[in-house]
């Protein structure tokens, strides 16, 4: 058994537990120091003829998808699971449990794969010490290995389960203080034991891909938490919609503003009807039946209202095309909040002429109680509507920003900010 | 996927531009109904002042 043993050969190796005699796989290389019996919990010294060091009976194996002896590829490197360590930690009065799998690769040595709440991460020891940020401070920067991390949390981890071959001689209940910093999809941990401090570099793993690599069916519950180093990965559709929204929102906005500038159309004629009781009329040509025309009434109504009956007649045929009515109302005053106004001194009526030609609009007072004021009548054609483009601009902007909102929610969930909001 | 979404958004922008230029849906209902129903088809009041 050496670190250079090929995985295929290592699968064949086995030894018997020196305590209970059960056959145990010997998969790890020479640097693995301890072997913990799966059946009786005996801790044996691999470097001293498997001498019995301790025994931990009735350990409850933590949940997780892997067993000792499973092989698979992680980030392009063939790995064998040689040991299992159950860990628990209390973080802000909440207990968290996770399962560490000791991995062994003849070419890359030892590393860890962690199963936590359905998330999978890979970590390995690194010699890169923190370049800054010696003490934990929430969200404070921590530079290490050429990367800029942000401190995420610190906790004391306690070992609750041991099995298989491990690179150190563990004791059940061993405690280590851990400072975790993150730069998704990577993480950096400072692990402070009683006698030494180690540094670990972690990477978030795609669960489906990793389980498939180890021939494990992904029948586990859907992820509902955000892991500390889980990257935000929106789907291709949402990414595309957001990208397109970013391009099209300004386009629709500019077009809408353009319509607002030129969409009032061109004035064909205008007149002022002084005595609306007697009525007045104006004749004007409308050449585009497919475009909007507009009748605009303006009167100086103040704290009153006026109402008008209107008739649109096609000059050539002398037929009434439409009869309609409408009015103006405008009120103003002062209250405790200051000046207020309500209504408008202008009203517009839009229509499409049934055919091209000259039209006559007549206007008279429509209600005996109506205010009698001179009314200015203006007719415009080729009126355009900006509302659709503004609506679309809002929709496109929402498409664009939705990705940002999702990302912000994801980050809030990662940092626990959403829980703080809930607590408030 | 991006190309498909860009095409869909382009079509939507084109449709909104067309609808804006030709004033689709911009007619006052009372006048439109009156024109549709022929002479004198007054339907209701605009503005609700009366």
């Amino acid at each position: 058994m050496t670190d250079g043993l090929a995985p295929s050969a290592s699968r064949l190796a086995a030894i018997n537990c020196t305590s209970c005699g059960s056959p145990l796989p010997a998969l790890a290389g020479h640097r693995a120091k301890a072997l913990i019996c799966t059946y009786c919990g005996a801790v044996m010294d691999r470097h001293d003829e498997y001498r019995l060091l301790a025994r931990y009976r009735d350990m409850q194996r933590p949940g997780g998808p892997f067993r000792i002896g499973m092989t698979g590829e992680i980030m392009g490197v063939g790995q064998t699971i040689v040991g299992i360590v159950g860990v628990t930690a209390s973080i802000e009065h909440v207990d968290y449990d996770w399962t560490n799998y000791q991995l062994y690769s003849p070419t890359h040595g030892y590393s860890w794969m962690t199963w936590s709440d359905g998330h999978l991460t890979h970590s390995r020891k690194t010699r890169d010490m923190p370049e800054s940020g010696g003490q934990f401070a929430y969200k404070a920067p921590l530079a290490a290995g050429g990367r800029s991390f942000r401190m995420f949390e610190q906790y004391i981890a306690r070992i609750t389960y041991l099995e298989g071959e491990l690179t150190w001689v563990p004791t059940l209940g061993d405690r280590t203080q851990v400072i975790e910093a993150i730069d998704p999809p990577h993480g950096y941990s400072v692990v402070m034991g009683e006698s030494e401090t180690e540094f670990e570099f972690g990477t978030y793993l795609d669960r489906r891909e990793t389980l498939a690599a180890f021939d494990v069916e992904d029948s586990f519950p859907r992820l509902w938490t955000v892991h500390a180093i889980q990257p935000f990965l929106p789907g291709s559709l949402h990414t595309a919609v957001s990208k397109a929204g970013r391009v099209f929102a300004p386009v629709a906005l500019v077009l809408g503003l353009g319509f607002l500038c030129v969409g009032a159309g061109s004035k064909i004629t205008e007149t002022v009807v002084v005595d609306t009781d007697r009525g007045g009329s104006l004749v004007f040509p409308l050449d585009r039946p497919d475009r909007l025309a507009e009748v605009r009434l303006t009167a100086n109504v103040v704290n009153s209202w006026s109402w008008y009956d209107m008739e649109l007649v096609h000059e050539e045929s002398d037929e009434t095309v439409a009869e309609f009515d409408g009015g103006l109302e405008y009120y103003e005053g002062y209250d405790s909040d200051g000046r207020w106004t309500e209504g408008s001194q202008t009203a517009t009526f839009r229509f499409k002429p049934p055919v091209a030609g000259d039209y006559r609009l007549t206007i008279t007072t429509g209600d005996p109680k109506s205010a009698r004021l001179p009314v200015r009548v203006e007719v415009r054609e080729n009126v355009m509507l900006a509302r659709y483009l503004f609506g679309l601009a809002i929709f496109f902007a929402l498409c664009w920003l939705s990705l940002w909102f999702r990302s912000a929610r994801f980050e809030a969930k990662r940092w626990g900010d959403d829980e703080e909001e809930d607590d408030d | 996927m991006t190309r498909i979404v860009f095409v869909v958004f382009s079509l939507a922008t084109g449709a909104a531009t067309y609808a804006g230029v030709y004033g689709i849906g911009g007619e006052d209902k009372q006048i439109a109904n009156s024109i549709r129903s022929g002479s004198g088809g007054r339907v209701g009041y605009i503005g609700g002042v009366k």
Side-chain angles (χ1 to χ4, degrees), chain A residues 210-226:
Chain A
T210 308
L211 290 177
F214 280 79
D215 269 337
V216 176
E217 192 191 341
D218 191 354
S219 56
F220 298 93
R222 197 168 160 265
L223 293 173
W224 61 277
T225 58
V226 174

Side-chain angles (χ1 to χ4, degrees), chain A residues 222-398:
Chain A
R222 197 168 160 265
L223 293 173
W224 61 277
T225 58
V226 174
H227 192 274
I229 60 171
Q230 184 178 352
F232 174 62
L233 297 173
S236 58
L237 176 62
H238 197 177
T239 306
V241 164
S242 177
K243 199 173 169 184
R246 191 175 57 193
V247 173
F248 281 89
V251 171
L253 183 66
V254 168
L255 280 171
L257 289 172
F259 272 39
L260 211 58
C261 292
V262 301
S266 49
K267 187 168 31 174
I268 307 170
T269 183
E270 80 175 314
T271 190
V272 175
V273 179
V274 178
D275 185 351
T276 52
D277 284 341
R278 283 182 59 198
S281 68
L282 63 167
V283 177
F284 49 89
L286 290 174
D287 300 326
R288 297 288 301 266
D290 56 340
R291 302 283 290 269
L292 272 185
E294 180 181 281
V295 173
R296 185 178 295 183
L297 306 182
T298 307
N300 193 29
V301 286
V302 178
N303 290 327
S304 61
W305 57 272
S306 57
W307 197 264
Y308 307 101
D309 281 339
M310 286 161 277
E311 186 181 14
L312 188 66
V313 178
H314 184 236
E315 279 281 274
E316 197 180 326
S317 61
D318 201 30
E319 277 187 17
T320 300
V321 170
E323 281 186 332
F324 56 99
D325 55 6
L328 310 169
E329 59 174 335
Y330 181 78
Y331 299 92
E332 63 181 25
Y334 288 89
D335 62 13
S336 56
D337 295 328
R339 187 170 184 269
W340 60 267
T341 64
E342 190 181 309
S344 172
Q345 293 176 321
T346 300
T348 56
F349 306 91
R350 289 173 179 160
F351 62 95
K352 284 186 180 174
V355 290
D358 287 345
Y359 286 85
R360 185 174 68 249
L361 178 76
T362 59
I363 179 166
T364 54
T365 302
D367 192 296
K369 293 176 189 169
S370 171
R372 266 60 170 186
L373 290 164
V375 60
R376 186 157 62 92
V377 185
E378 188 180 314
V379 180
R380 307 182 79 90
E381 67 174 354
N382 293 338
V383 174
M384 294 192 278
L385 302 173
R387 64 174 81 144
Y388 300 115
L389 285 160
F390 283 136
L392 212 51
I394 291 169
F395 172 74
F396 289 153
L398 288 175

